[in-house]
Amino acid sequence: MSDSRHYDAVIVGSGQGGKPLAVDLAQAGWRTALVEKDAVGGSCVNYGCTPTKTMVASARVAYLARRGADYGVQAGEASVDLEVVRRRKRDIVESFRSGSENHVKRTENLDLLRGTASFASPNTLELAGDDGPVELRADRILLNTGCRPRVPEIPGLQSVPYLNSTTIMELGEVPEHLVVLGGGYIGLEFGQMFRRFGSQVTVVQRGNQLLGREDADVAEAVAEILREDGVRVLLGSEPAEVSADRSGGVRLRLDGEQAPEVRGSHLLVATGRVPNSDTLRPEKAGLELDRRGFVRVDSRLETNLENVWALGDVKGGPQFTHISYDDYRILKQNLLEGGSATTEGRLVPYTVFIDPQLGRVGLSESEALERPSRVGVARMPMSHVARALEMDESRGFMKAVVDLESEEILGAAVLGIEGGELMSMLQLAMMGKLPYSKLRDGIFAHPTLAESLNNLFGNVEAAD
């Protein structure tokens, strides 16, 4: 190959772990290359957190506008201009993306290379880009290639124009009836969002509850909130076949007791994500993958290949931006500071941005009950929280699990207004190993959502 370059480090993928790591390595004096085949910033900035939460905010405004009379405000009939919503989303994404890209381009010792990188050997990559193939020889290779929407094997799916989590955000008109295939975080956020934009929405879930990793009481409360918002929820419904409807929409035949079929104008497929490891040609280097295609790593994010690491979603495990960023911190400490940081024991907080939010951290109740120690559970409905009542959003509940002997907080679920922020308060207490009794007896400003922790931890009972 005529064009061959050598780097101290090559990072493949510019997501929330790869981009800051590339900048730090370059600023430390390493000759570094950051390879990106798409937009700088990865999924979060371009297709995930930033655009979706921008649209969720628009949907909440529409929801509150329609509820104006409940607050004594006569705002008239509310309607949604999805083109304006889309433009606002695009503007914010472009601002974040351009800021990230400019930061990369301003960094000395850092080359931004456009194209797809794949292994030629354990320490050599081949870059296929607009300027032809380039050989990249590297002392260290770091993989941050992320994931893409999964396409399930359902007969007829490829014959209809279905949407995924990226393409649905480019719609210019509100769908008449959106059918959402999948009752996970992505499906529920988009389902409620488009219901608030004005669509009829049906969520089809294979399992017997939404949000399969959550406790049953949490999942049922989420389902009830969605039903109150007018979302139809079909549980235990296995998709058997997809076909085009005579009216130009889609028809989804189901194996389940709740409904034999559902018809809609649009179909959103939100059945998970798969790793972008296939384009790496892992077989060329002997890179080990698990059965689902994720790159195998140890607790230090090292692969089976010497001087090759993986970070972010492509390595499997929790697929959250903040986990990718923590991967970056681990590698920065180990590569530049001589540290020995690992993923062992780290808390994994997350928020499902339905409204009201579901904030989660630590062990669920079912997971805590598997421990040998005595476990207590604190529960309280949001209708017992003064601030939630004052804001007229008292749906949901709070739950925390604790160790009754040490009083350590083991985990929490907060389904309620600003549930993610309340969860983060509990996370801080967990990080500091603060006994739950300190929150029970603490002084918090009134009337805030925080003061609900007094009453929550005054309700601790031994678990069955």
Side-chain angles (χ1 to χ4, degrees):
M1 192 171 296
S2 59
D3 192 350
S4 181
R5 309 177 193 177
H6 178 267
Y7 289 94
D8 296 316
V10 173
I11 300 174
V12 185
S14 65
Q16 297 301 296
K19 180 259 178 178
L21 185 60
V23 170
D24 284 353
L25 295 180
Q27 290 178 339
W30 294 20
R31 189 181 182 209
T32 306
L34 179 61
V35 179
E36 179 54 65
K37 67 176 183 179
D38 201 347
V40 172
S43 295
C44 178
V45 168
N46 296 289
Y47 318 113
C49 316
T50 300
T52 59
K53 278 47 179 183
T54 300
M55 295 181 72
V56 163
S58 294
R60 176 163 171 77
V61 171
Y63 167 73
L64 291 175
R66 294 189 183 102
R67 288 195 59 205
D70 296 342
Y71 297 86
V73 178
Q74 303 300 324
E77 184 176 352
S79 62
V80 173
D81 186 335
L82 200 58
E83 287 190 3
V84 176
V85 172
R86 183 177 64 182
R87 187 183 314 127
R88 175 176 174 270
K89 178 264 298 182
R90 287 176 174 174
D91 289 345
I92 292 175
V93 167
E94 175 57 29
S95 173
F96 284 24
R97 177 196 299 139
S98 60
S100 292
E101 183 167 336
N102 289 336
H103 188 196
V104 170
K105 290 179 176 178
R106 288 195 304 266
T107 302
E108 293 185 8
N109 299 318
L110 179 56
D111 294 340
L112 177 60
L113 306 179
R114 297 290 188 174
T116 300
S118 59
F119 280 101
S121 71
N123 65 347
T124 305
L125 297 167
E126 182 178 312
L127 176 66
D130 295 339
D131 298 328
V134 180
E135 182 184 73
L136 305 176
R137 291 177 292 109
D139 296 337
R140 303 162 192 85
I141 295 174
L142 302 108
L143 308 174
N144 183 223
T145 51
C147 292
R148 62 183 183 272
R150 174 178 173 267
V151 181
E153 295 182 1
I154 303 173
L157 180 61
Q158 300 295 342
S159 67
V160 300
Y162 65 88
L163 301 164
N164 61 30
S165 57
T166 300
T167 58
I168 192 171
M169 291 188 289
E170 290 304 311
L171 292 177
E173 295 182 354
V174 175
E176 179 182 346
H177 184 179
L178 177 65
V179 178
V180 179
L181 184 55
Y185 312 135
I186 294 173
L188 299 191
E189 288 183 11
F190 279 116
Q192 187 188 52
M193 176 198 302
F194 276 89
R195 177 62 191 143
R196 290 180 167 187
F197 286 156
S199 300
Q200 295 182 56
V201 175
T202 301
V203 174
V204 177
Q205 169 73 333
R206 294 176 57 184
N208 292 321
Q209 70 170 55
L210 301 175
L211 303 174
R213 291 188 293 181
E214 306 299 337
D215 286 330
D217 57 347
V218 173
E220 179 52 38
V222 168
E224 184 57 32
I225 286 171
L226 293 174
R227 293 185 184 109
E228 288 177 5
D229 278 7
V231 176
R232 185 187 184 195
V233 178
L234 301 179
L235 301 175
S237 300
E238 179 77 28
E241 183 182 19
V242 180
S243 60
D245 187 87
R246 292 180 179 178
S247 62
V250 293
R251 171 181 174 270
L252 184 60
R253 184 166 63 82
L254 305 172
D255 289 335
E257 298 181 358
Q258 288 196 276
E261 70 174 32
V262 60
R263 297 171 184 260
S265 60
H266 295 70
L267 174 65
L268 168 63
V269 176
T271 55
R273 297 174 68 79
V274 296
N276 293 322
S277 57
D278 48 348
T279 57
L280 291 169
R281 293 194 301 181
E283 69 282 357
K284 292 284 187 177
L287 180 69
E288 289 185 0
L289 309 179
D290 69 13
R291 61 181 180 82
R292 296 184 298 162
F294 292 99
V295 178
R296 291 186 184 276
V297 296
D298 62 16
S299 62
R300 292 167 60 90
L301 305 178
E302 297 173 349
T303 72
N304 67 300
L305 302 178
E306 186 177 2
N307 291 324
V308 178
W309 296 260
L311 64 162
D313 295 353
V314 75
K315 74 182 191 314
Q319 295 178 20
F320 302 117
T321 293
H322 43 282
I323 295 301
S324 297
Y325 196 75
D326 190 58
D327 289 349
Y328 144 69
R329 286 189 290 246
I330 288 171
L331 289 172
K332 176 186 177 183
Q333 181 176 336
N334 294 350
L335 293 175
L336 294 180
E337 301 167 10
S340 57
T342 73
T343 60
E344 294 175 1
R346 66 179 175 186
L347 285 174
V348 181
Y350 56 91
T351 299
V352 185
F353 285 88
I354 53 174
D355 184 29
Q357 299 168 4
L358 170 61
R360 278 277 288 111
V361 66
L363 300 180
S364 65
E365 180 180 356
S366 57
E367 290 170 335
L369 290 175
E370 295 176 359
R371 292 166 58 99
S373 57
R374 294 179 62 230
V375 171
V377 180
R379 287 186 177 87
M380 187 175 71
M382 292 301 292
S383 58
H384 288 188
V385 179
R387 183 61 174 163
L389 291 169
E390 292 159 1
M391 298 177 72
D392 201 8
E393 183 50 274
S394 58
R395 297 184 292 177
F397 69 101
M398 307 170 64
K399 177 169 70 169
V401 289
V402 302
D403 185 307
L404 290 175
E405 296 175 2
S406 67
E407 294 195 351
E408 179 183 358
I409 303 170
L410 304 175
V414 183
L415 176 61
I417 186 167
E418 297 297 346
E421 304 298 335
L422 276 172
M423 173 275 291
S424 297
M425 290 190 64
L426 293 170
Q427 180 190 352
L428 286 172
M430 295 169 67
M431 291 167 63
K433 298 190 181 302
L434 194 68
Y436 76 82
S437 58
K438 293 293 185 180
L439 298 179
R440 179 195 64 199
D441 301 333
I443 300 175
F444 299 101
H446 175 79
T448 62
L449 292 169
E451 69 174 346
S452 63
L453 300 180
N454 292 150
N455 292 333
L456 173 66
F457 288 110
N459 292 325
V460 174
E461 297 182 357
D464 296 333

